[in-house]
Amino acid sequence: MSTREEQVRAAAVEVFAARGVHGLTHRAVDQAAGLPQGSTSNLFRTRQALVTAVADDVAQARVEQGAQPGSPTSVAWLELLLLARRDEGVAAAIEPTRARMRALLDASRPPGLPLPTPELAAFLTGLEYAQAVTGIDLDPGVFLECLSRGSQP
């Protein structure tokens, strides 16, 4: 990957995290990267190609950094999950990462937890979404411990 492509991809993730999918335009990425107009479209000809690149980068960062509620990467990840419900290209771009995340979750799941891995992943994503929306710091460990014991927090 060229330095210019890395610069464009990083700027695209920043724009997406700050403005969402509707604010992700070739022009906005050019401005954020400090590049001449047309630079982004030379690398990613279509808007779908740009969105797919962002999805790939956010998903990769998600695996490498883990969940960091409220961080731009986590907020972008949650938006991608919603977007993937409507856009097959985004769904395909993030599916390999989602599979890796489920495998990591399966390998580290607490013993005696009554939820299968897909439901556990959905539960943890829901907690992360709640943190992003409310700003309240929630400890997933407390909820997982309660689930394991069958009690309430």
Side-chain angles (χ1 to χ4, degrees):
M1 189 178 330
S2 71
T3 303
R4 180 160 289 212
E5 183 176 346
E6 290 171 355
Q7 185 179 3
V8 166
R9 290 175 83 106
V13 169
E14 287 176 22
V15 169
F16 182 82
R19 302 181 194 169
V21 70
H22 296 296
L24 182 67
T25 65
H26 289 89
R27 181 173 291 172
V29 174
D30 287 340
Q31 289 174 339
L35 295 172
Q37 190 173 356
S39 298
T40 299
S41 63
N42 283 334
L43 292 167
F44 302 102
R45 287 281 186 214
T46 65
R47 189 162 185 287
Q48 183 63 44
L50 182 59
V51 171
T52 300
V54 167
D56 185 49
D57 286 3
V58 168
Q60 186 60 39
R62 178 71 180 186
V63 168
E64 292 171 1
Q65 300 166 7
Q68 298 175 351
S71 75
T73 301
S74 286
V75 172
W77 177 251
L78 292 171
E79 186 162 348
L80 283 170
L81 290 175
L82 294 172
L83 183 59
R85 301 283 296 163
R86 299 182 307 272
D87 187 317
E88 290 180 15
V90 173
I94 66 173
E95 182 50 39
T97 300
R98 293 179 79 190
R100 284 194 309 256
M101 293 166 93
R102 286 189 298 267
L104 289 170
L105 185 57
D106 198 38
S108 64
R109 65 185 281 111
L113 194 61
L115 292 175
T117 299
E119 283 81 0
L120 179 59
F123 173 76
L124 293 173
T125 300
L127 279 178
E128 188 175 3
Y129 180 75
Q131 285 181 287
V133 170
T134 65
I136 298 171
D137 189 22
L138 302 170
D139 180 2
V142 170
F143 292 96
L144 292 176
E145 184 179 323
C146 290
L147 282 171
S148 293
R149 289 190 320 233
S151 62
Q152 297 179 1

